Amino acid sequence: MIGINSFAAELRCGRDWIPCTVVGIAGDDDCPRFIVMFDDDDGLTTLLRVSEVRRNEG
């Protein structure tokens, strides 16, 4: 994983976009993945590796 300055974003979950924080990048040049962190409905912090995020400007 390459650490980056974290930023607010959203990740796609079905038809919905869920707020998250991007904390790193993993993978290679051909297939980069974003490492994202978010809190689920039970209050647990989850880390995921996803291929698509959109920056949350709000």
Side-chain angles (χ1 to χ4, degrees), residues 2 26-33:
I2 299 170
D28 55 31
D29 291 339
D30 295 329
C31 188
R33 299 275 193 233

Side-chain angles (χ1 to χ4, degrees), residues 31-50:
C31 188
R33 299 275 193 233
F34 298 97
I35 308 299
V36 299
M37 178 174 64
F38 67 94
D39 293 330
D40 67 11
D41 293 337
D42 296 326
L44 298 173
T45 300
T46 303
L47 290 172
L48 287 177
R49 195 171 47 173
V50 298

